[in-house]
Every structure is written in structure tokens, then in C-alpha cells.
Amino acid sequence: MTGRENFAKLLANIGMATKMKTADPQLTVELIFLTPAVETLNKRQVMFKPVLEAIKEAKKTGIKIVACEVAMANVGLQKEDIEYGLVDEFASVGGLYVLQKIKEGYEVLTI
């Protein structure tokens, strides 16, 4: 993440996903963390605390959190750097994960 505008955009995406899921609990919502956003999952970085708290709130509504392992490797993030239980699934290649979801009929939304 570089710049406050990207940090704000990420928080806005998490917030919008949470509002969508709250408005329609039957809706399937997944947040997929790719590069560079995946580095905000690092529990050791104090500056990412607002993102981590927003993710925890999102999870309470039933949102699935997915992290791209390639993106994690690109930013030097290990699974041990992520709070246990925060991520529901680690996708080996995030782009392929997204492609598969699109083929299954999912829509990709970003703000």
C-alpha cells in the first residue's frame, strides 16, 4: 500500500462489502487480498490496525477472507505474520482464484 488514498480505498471496499452482506445476509461475499493490499494483513504493522479491525467486523457478518500466496511472497509476508483465523483461505495464485470465481458466476466489485 502506498499513499493514504489507497489505504482509504481499501477501508472503503471492506466497509462496502460489510454493508452489502449486512443488507442481504444470503449474499455470498468474499474479500480477496492481492498485491499490494495483502500486506495490510500483517499483524506486526501497527499502521494496519484499522484494516485488521475492519476485516474482523466483516468476518462477523459472514464474509470470507482470501489471501493470495503469490502476493504474500512478493511482499515478504508469511502465514505466521497474519493473526490466526483472520484469513479463511490462502489461494495459491490469487488471479486464478478470481478467474475461477468469475467462471462460477461471481461478480468482481471494487470501489
Side-chain angles (χ1 to χ4, degrees):
M1 297 296 298
T2 57
R4 291 182 183 183
E5 67 284 351
N6 288 331
F7 197 72
K9 185 176 179 181
L10 177 59
L11 286 170
N13 276 302
I14 297 168
M16 182 56 66
T18 303
K19 287 179 182 174
M20 290 170 59
K21 182 68 173 172
T22 301
D24 183 356
Q26 300 303 315
L27 189 66
T28 299
V29 179
E30 296 184 13
L31 290 171
I32 305 166
F33 287 77
L34 307 167
T35 304
V38 74
E39 68 183 308
T40 63
L41 300 176
N42 190 341
K43 67 183 178 186
R44 292 179 172 82
Q45 293 292 331
V46 175
M47 67 183 270
F48 297 143
K49 186 172 181 160
V51 173
L52 298 175
E53 293 304 316
I55 292 170
K56 290 175 186 175
E57 289 301 311
K59 285 181 63 78
K60 288 178 185 176
T61 68
I63 292 175
K64 180 179 178 180
I65 306 300
V66 180
C68 171
E69 290 179 327
V70 170
M72 289 172 58
N74 287 340
V75 299
L77 186 66
Q78 303 292 317
K79 289 181 181 178
E80 301 79 42
D81 298 324
I82 299 172
E83 183 179 321
Y84 179 78
L86 187 69
V87 172
D88 298 300
E89 183 175 343
F90 291 92
S92 56
V93 181
L96 294 177
Y97 183 89
V98 171
L99 178 61
Q100 182 59 41
K101 291 297 180 178
I102 292 169
K103 287 180 177 181
E104 292 173 11
Y106 283 67
E107 293 185 40
V108 176
L109 303 175
T110 58
I111 293 175

